[in-house]
Structures are given as structure tokens and as C-alpha cells.
Amino acid sequence: MSLWMIFKVAVLAIFRNKTRSLLTCLGIIFGIAAVIAVLAIGKGASAMMVAEISQMGNNLVMVFPERKQAGVVHQGLGGGQNMTAEDVIAIKNELSHLVQFASPQVNAFCQLMHQNKNWSTRVQGVSVDFPDIKNWTMKEGRFFNEQEERRASRVCVIGTSVASNLFGEEEPVGKTMRIKNMAFKVVGVLNSKGANNWGDDQDDTVMAPYTTVSRVLQGSAFKSINMMNLSLYDMDDLDEAKREITAILRQRHKLADYQDDDFETRDTTEIMNTIGSVTGLMTVLLTVVAAISLLVGGIGIMNIMLVSVTERIKEIGLRMAIGATPFMILTQFLLEALVLSAVGGVIGVAAGIGVAQAIGAMKHWPIVVEAGSAILAFGFSAFVGIFFGFYPAYRASKLNPIDCLRYE
Amino acid sequence: MAHLIEIRDMYKIYAQGDEPVHALDGVSVSIDEGEFVAIMGASGSGKSTMLNILGCLDTPTKGTYLLDGIEVAGRSRTELAHIRNEKLGFVFQNFNLLPRTSAIENVELPDLYLGRLGRRARRRRALELLRRVGLGGRGTHTPAQLSGGQQQRVAIARALMNKPPVLFADEPTGNLDTKSSIEIMNLFTELSRAGITIVMVTHEDDIAAYATRHLVMKDGHLVSDDKGAAK
């Protein structure tokens, strides 16, 4: 008897017992569906994180002044006063082969006014490079130019949230608004970026030349900045760039060898690694849960197969009496288990993708179904079929035809 | 002339409790081609054990068994399966058809394991056999849709599928009414006349009367063999 014939016999046996076959499949279907759905949602969440982090900026390296400690009170990141716009210019000039864009950032929290409306938000003093670093594009008008930056002109661009809160239906470009009671001309409106990972509305912002902000809004005697944003040509140069930045800043800040750095560098890869390890952990955790349900499904298959062997003991006896060898019996039962788990696997993969899509649509999460995870789940279900199908099949093949035929 | 079936000094001993049970206690018998043999005896006489060993469903504790010139004793389970498949046909008291499976698929089953015929030739032969046992129009019926007598006829057709030289029947009419029993026994007589060797176990004298030779067993011994005295 050919393997194909045994396969046909096995398939016929499955169809003879539709209910039992369906129940057997269910365990595998749920197990596989759980694995697929969890992996799809997990991968989707990771992809969303990566997308949002890269939205923070292209090949972004941020440098913050050291946190100053006044007694026991720590200031926040960027609270130091030892970093200046000149540091940024020096780095841009000296590392022109590594750094594509550079922008200082000076933050001021200000009250904004236009006619009878007012709004308070963070005004970011930045350079003309800033939109290229942070992937900001213009919705209307233009960004401020180098001349305006050099002259510390009172111009600004605004985010869509500020535009709608201060101007409503009005066209903001070309209008004058008041920041800290000083007149600024709105030259452009930024395209919306929405909320970031941490739920902050990125569109609730005003950008003005850093020269203007530090001079007029901060009124600071020092030309200190809150942070610098650098964009590298290539993230592969990250380590070299960080080394060079450190060397330049230490030299410019006249730090002796025994002194610690008075600044900190951060880059998106660090953030991505942190978030990646968190989402990775979640994925592993959920996968373990899903794998356990798959195992339970496998044990379900074994139980049903064992029951099926007992229930069909007369059939086994008859098959042996008319010429089925122990090997054929073994193969038949093994194939039955395999077909059931394979069919369960296919349905499970489909159901898993469906569930993931449904959850994704409901929660507005992106869903990433990788061929790898589908193949993995399918392979595992085949393995479960063989593994849990073997014992009952082996028991069936060891039966004596006489005992089977006499069995009541 | 060599015998079709020849057993010599056959023992089957079951180790049940302290006292070993001799189900077969040194039986020797030979059966020639074309004979219609009835094995008779009270229950526990060893007649079923005898049939099981002759039918290669069970292995003897001791003794030799030549079937169609082949030594059967001491063969592996797989080899016995092949012998049963090619040389022997079985008819059981309770029919033993596959449930929820059509008559024609039940009849085809032995050739599925043998694989001698192609799909169409197999179907043709199964249909022809069903016609021969008088069930020409019932090929698609499942066992549940057939009467006991009809089921037994399907079982006989199945037993004949691989053209075996020997047919074994274990109380073939035990579950049938008188009318069906007579039909089945007439079918056996017909097959016997066509040259098929039949070995049947029964405890009913009127059923045994259809056979041409009667072996009577008692306590694992052969006590009577009317070979030559056949009608």
C-alpha cells in the first residue's frame, strides 16, 4: 500500500468523524491563532514605536548641558548653563564631514496673544537647520531664513494647534501675534505631526530663531542654550561622532582630564533600544502564554487520538485482519493527527491574522504579520501533530488483531 | 499432492493464573483445495483458537503450519499481515464493516492495502463482487442502511476482493435470522463449488450440514474428522 493510499484512508477516516475531527482541530486553531495574533500585534507595536522615534528626527544626536545640582535639588535635563550656540557652530564647522545639520535649542514658556485670544505654550528657539533635523515640513508660508536668524528678527512659525487656538478660521501667515507682549510676525504654519509616544501634542509649538528667543524672550545675559540637535549623515558614524563631539566640547569648556563631562549626549538608537527591549519583553511574555495554549491544544489532540484509538479498536482489528500491517496502522493514525493539526494550523493562521486585524482596527494599532511567524506557528502545529499523534498511533499499531476483534 | 493447509502438533497454551490453559493440545490436520470444512465443538473446545491460528490472526505456541506451501509459524506481524491480505479472506459473526462507509468502499478495502489494482479496476471488481453476492444496486449504502444478511454479504464480497484461495468464517450466521442464514449458506456453497476453500467455525448442526467435512473439537483435541465420509 502506497503512502498516498494510507493518506487517503486517513482523510476518509477524518471525514467519517466530522465532529470529533473539528473538536480536535479547535485546540490547535486557538493555539495558533493566539500566537499569530500576539506576534502580529507585538511586531506592529514595535514598528509603530520605531516609526515614531524616527519621526523625532533623522539620525538625531542630542547634546544636553550637564544637570546642575543646587544643594540637593537636581535640575532637569538641559538645566545647565554652560552650553552656548557657539558650541553648536564649532561642532558644525569642525565635524562637517559627519554632521549634516545642527541646531541649538532654547526653550521659553510664554503667553501668546492674538486679538482677543490667548494661549500659552513652549517657544522653541532654533536654527534654520531645525526642520531638516526633526522632519518638520511647512503647511503654509515658509520657515524663517538665515538672515532673520542672524538679525534676531521677531518672526516665528507656528504649529497647527497654536494656529487653530489663536487664529481659528483666520489665515495666520503674514499676521502679527504677541509673544510675551512683543510683536512677532507669523511667516509659516507647520504641517501636523500629531501626538508623540508620550502623548504630547507636537503641534502645540512655536518656533523662532534661537537668537531672538535667547535675546528677547529669555532675556538671559548668558548665551546658554537648553540643548543642541545634530543630524548625522550616517548613523554608522555614531560612535566616531560622539567621540569627536565629546573632544570638541571638553576642549571648548576647558575641562581638565580629571573633570567629568559637563554635558550628556543622547541619540535615537539608545531610545529605540530601551523601547525595543520593553516591547521585546512583552512579545516574549505573550508568546510564552500563546505557546502554552498551543501545548494545551496539542495535548487535546493526543487525548482525542487516544480516545479515537480505543473507540476504533474494532476497526483497527478489522484493518489488520484484512491485511493492514502495523506500520500501515501507525502511519494512518499519524497522518490523521498530522492532517488535523495542519488543517488546524492553516485555519489558526487565518483566524490569528483576522483577530489581529480586528484588534488593530478597533484600537488603531498597526498590524505586522510576518511570514516567519506564520511559518513558525504552522511548523509548530505540524510538530505537535507528529509528537502527540505518535503515541496513540504507536499504541494502535501494537494491538493484536484478535484482541481488537473481540473487543467490546 | 501438497495440501493447501497443513498443521502439525499445534499447541496454543495460555498462561492464565497458576494453571496453563491448553487451548490447542497437539492438533494435526490437513485441508485440501476446494474443501468446505466446518470446525465444530462446544464453547471452550478450542475451535475459535484453531480458526484464528489457521487465519494467521494468532500465532501458535508450538507446532508447524504450512499454508499453500509456505511456513507460517514464526513469521513477523508484518509478514502475517501480508499473508492475510493476499491469501486469506475473513467473514466474522458481527460483519465488522467500517461504519459510515459505503458498501463499495468496504469491499474495496483489501485491495487498498494490497494495491494490485488501479482505482478504476478496483471499483469495477468491487461492483462485480457486490453483484455476485446479490447486492448489485446497494453499492452506495452504508452498513446502517443494510440488513444483517446484506451486511454479511458485503463482508463476503470484501473477503473475496483479493481473490484469496481460502475463506475463513467465524460463526457467519450467528447474528442472522433463519432466512438470511440460509441465503448466506447457499452463497458459501456456491463459492465452494466455484473452487474456493472454506473453513468455517460453527456450533449449529444445520449450518455445519452445508459443509463437506466436519472437524469436531473437544478440550483442545481433534476428536472427530469425517473426511472421506462426505456426502
Side-chain angles (χ1 to χ4, degrees), chain A residues 337-376:
Chain A
L338 247 177
V339 168
L340 285 179
S341 42
V343 169
V346 169
I347 299 174
V349 168
I353 293 172
V355 166
Q357 300 281 16
I359 292 175
M362 228 150 52
K363 297 265 181 187
H364 303 290
W365 287 344
I367 297 300
V368 178
V369 180
E370 285 183 335
S373 59
I375 291 167
L376 187 84

Side-chain angles (χ1 to χ4, degrees), chain A residues 1 5 16-17 314-315 318-326 328 397-402 405-406, chain B residues 52 57-58 77-78 81-82 84-85 90 92 94 96 98-101 105 109-110 112-113 119 122 158:
Chain A
M1 190 192 212
M5 281 294 178
R16 259 207 330 266
N17 266 301
K314 281 203 151 185
E315 178 191 328
L318 171 84
R319 286 180 185 278
M320 285 181 156
I322 63 172
T325 63
M328 290 171 184
S397 76
K398 282 293 161 202
L399 292 170
N400 197 342
I402 284 297
L405 288 168
R406 283 208 196 113
Chain B
N52 290 337
L57 291 168
D58 206 353
R77 284 156 55 84
T78 301
H82 289 315
R84 288 195 297 270
N85 187 222
F90 290 92
F92 302 97
N94 46 16
N96 274 325
L98 290 187
R100 295 182 288 281
T101 306
E105 281 173 316
L109 202 57
L112 279 181
Y113 287 109
R119 192 167 54 89
R122 180 163 54 236
R158 180 180 63 191

Side-chain angles (χ1 to χ4, degrees), chain A residues 62-107:
Chain A
M62 293 169 282
V63 187
F64 296 92
E66 186 194 29
R67 298 170 195 228
K68 278 279 159 55
Q69 196 175 350
V72 291
V73 182
H74 282 278
Q75 290 185 357
L77 203 58
Q81 296 202 324
N82 47 8
M83 193 179 280
T84 61
E86 277 74 40
D87 287 336
V88 182
I89 292 160
I91 284 171
K92 196 181 178 186
N93 290 339
E94 287 180 48
L95 299 181
S96 57
H97 59 294
L98 295 172
V99 176
Q100 189 178 12
F101 301 112
S103 169
Q105 187 171 336
V106 190
N107 299 326

Side-chain angles (χ1 to χ4, degrees), chain B residues 151-169:
Chain B
Q151 287 189 55
Q152 193 61 302
R153 280 191 265 172
V154 173
I156 291 168
R158 180 180 63 191
L160 295 173
M161 184 70 194
N162 287 351
K163 297 183 179 166
V166 192
L167 199 63
F168 290 97

Side-chain angles (χ1 to χ4, degrees), chain B residues 102-111 126 129-130 154 157-158 161:
Chain B
S102 71
I104 196 143
E105 281 173 316
N106 265 295
V107 176
E108 282 178 334
L109 202 57
D111 187 65
L129 284 169
L130 279 176
V154 173
R158 180 180 63 191
M161 184 70 194

